Amino acid sequence: MSSHELTERERRVLEAVIQSYVATAEPAGSRTLARLFGLGVSPATIRNTMSDLEAKGFLYHPHTSAGRVPTHKAYRLYVDSLMRVEPLDVAGQTRLKEELAGASTIETILRRAAQSLGVLTQELGVAVSPRFDEATLRRIDLVRLSSDRVLMVLTLDRGAIRTIFVEVPGEIAEDAVQEVARVLSERLAGLTLRAVCASLEERLRDAAPRPGAEELLNIFIAGGGQLFDRATADESPVLLGQPSLLAEQPEFASGERMRRLLELTETRDELASLLRARDNSAGLSITIGSEHGDPRLDPFTVVTAEYHAGGLSGVIGVIGPTRMPYEKVVSLVSHTSRLVSDLLH
């Protein structure tokens, strides 16, 4: 049901119930709404309208209260048709910019952004790192650590660094290590890690390094695909703000909802997959309750936006109870995603 299928009075009363409940966490009663929201009708009329909204699935009536509480269906209609989002004010923009100032790596920027979003919204800030298989390789360095171990350092888009340990059989001369690093960079720089994994053997097969470097190069020809595949794996796929910020909200008083959320955040790969699978094509994605596709998130709302880092992209946003200040959260998430994209441009 869309807002057009509600009467004007029903829309106004529903909006008032949602705003009251978001602000107080208390079921909204007709007298309170009449006093605070200037609806222009009597408490009895408001009560009848609330009964109609309950019959249509937008409100429910807790047994211990005379007031009503919004359903997930109500929040969805509110987000789609009723809320009015204003751009983030100058003070908020300045605070976010200051929080992210000085961060020089993708991970640092994302970590600070998730923490800042959490503090400013009082929800759980989340940021998902880019998928590195689409990252472009800029250069390769090899550092000999011991007689049987070499460190491969991959420099990617926007200065991102990935490191992989490579086991080598016996002593390899330093000049051979540097010669292989030169060949690898010459043959592979400018490709995405996905392309490197798919075509490594072919691109290196006819390489002719200087004498003494063949043995090390053959290690990359034989097993380099797996080495580079390890470089695409996420070290920290999801960066989180402070879950403790949610603990003070009434929804988490029993501890059960917090336990469910913490269980999900402990499986970072699963959470990353859930957040990356969201449709951010409209610039912002808001899912509520059962819309997430994972029952562990049913008590929550997730608001995310996509950010871009050169040819890479990731997701940033918040997770919180369905009773959240949607306008404020949407404004903050939207602005933060743009700010992160600007910093990573």
Side-chain angles (χ1 to χ4, degrees):
M1 176 179 288
S2 71
S3 65
H4 298 299
E5 297 176 65
L6 298 180
T7 67
E8 176 61 25
R9 179 177 296 164
E10 286 172 337
R11 287 195 295 272
R12 293 184 64 201
V13 169
L14 181 62
E15 184 175 9
V17 171
I18 291 173
Q19 291 179 351
S20 175
Y21 186 63
V22 166
T24 67
E26 297 290 337
S30 56
R31 293 186 180 280
T32 299
L33 297 181
R35 184 176 72 253
L36 296 180
F37 288 90
L39 297 173
V41 293
S42 68
T45 299
I46 294 174
R47 191 158 48 249
N48 290 336
T49 304
M50 292 167 74
S51 295
D52 293 338
L53 289 167
E54 184 174 2
K56 294 177 179 179
F58 291 100
L59 301 177
Y60 70 92
H61 197 165
H63 296 301
T64 58
S65 171
R68 270 30 173 233
V69 172
T71 63
H72 292 174
K73 181 179 178 180
Y75 288 124
R76 170 48 60 195
L77 183 140
Y78 181 78
V79 164
D80 289 345
S81 305
L82 299 177
M83 74 172 180
R84 294 173 289 276
V85 179
E86 298 291 336
L88 186 62
D89 61 34
V90 174
Q93 293 182 31
T94 300
R95 180 172 179 181
L96 271 173
K97 192 170 183 179
E98 289 174 349
E99 291 290 339
L100 301 187
S104 57
T105 67
I106 292 177
E107 182 173 350
T108 304
I109 290 171
L110 294 180
R111 188 179 302 281
R112 290 189 187 179
Q115 292 172 346
S116 298
L117 270 177
V119 170
L120 293 172
T121 63
Q122 292 297 293
E123 316 289 358
L124 177 62
V126 295
V128 182
S129 62
R131 294 184 62 89
F132 282 99
D133 56 353
E134 295 299 333
T136 299
L137 180 61
R138 299 304 180 191
R139 61 178 289 175
I140 298 175
D141 293 291
L142 297 178
V143 180
R144 190 176 58 181
L145 301 178
S146 64
S147 61
D148 60 354
R149 209 176 202 200
V150 169
L151 180 68
M152 179 169 64
V153 182
L154 308 179
T155 301
L156 309 174
D157 291 307
R158 299 301 307 160
I161 301 292
R162 307 295 273 179
T163 56
I164 301 293
F165 292 107
V166 183
E167 305 296 330
V168 297
E171 188 75 31
I172 294 180
E174 177 62 27
D175 60 346
V177 172
Q178 297 310 312
E179 170 66 4
V180 171
R182 182 191 66 78
V183 171
L184 292 175
S185 286
E186 185 179 274
R187 296 295 180 100
L188 305 176
L191 302 173
T192 66
L193 289 184
R194 182 196 298 274
V196 169
C197 292
S199 63
L200 180 69
E201 185 177 350
E202 178 185 348
R203 291 178 181 278
L204 295 181
R205 188 183 296 122
D206 65 344
R210 297 170 189 165
E214 295 93 339
E215 185 179 14
L216 179 57
L217 183 63
N218 285 335
I219 292 174
F220 286 94
I221 293 175
Q226 293 181 335
L227 291 173
F228 281 91
D229 190 53
R230 282 160 53 191
T232 68
D234 292 315
E235 295 173 351
S236 302
V238 178
L239 302 165
L240 300 175
Q242 300 169 265
S244 58
L245 291 170
L246 293 174
E248 299 178 4
Q249 299 197 31
E251 287 84 353
F252 299 97
S254 67
E256 174 61 21
R257 288 186 177 181
M258 180 63 79
R259 183 187 65 79
R260 292 174 66 179
L261 181 59
L262 290 177
E263 283 179 356
L264 183 60
T265 61
E266 287 171 0
T267 55
R268 299 291 178 96
D269 290 338
E270 287 184 35
L271 184 56
S273 296
L274 279 171
L275 294 173
R276 282 175 174 152
R278 295 165 64 77
D279 181 9
N280 292 284
S281 58
L284 192 84
S285 177
I286 303 173
T287 51
I288 302 166
S290 61
E291 297 172 355
H292 307 302
D294 188 308
R296 290 172 294 182
L297 282 171
D298 281 359
F300 305 101
T301 285
V302 182
V303 181
T304 59
E306 196 171 65
Y307 67 85
H308 298 276
L312 307 179
S313 65
V315 177
I316 193 164
V318 301
I319 301 174
T322 54
R323 183 194 64 86
M324 68 164 55
Y326 285 92
E327 288 94 342
K328 176 182 178 181
V329 169
V330 167
S331 179
L332 279 163
V333 170
S334 296
H335 184 81
T336 302
S337 69
R338 290 192 297 269
L339 179 58
V340 168
S341 293
D342 288 344
L343 290 171
L344 297 176
H345 182 65

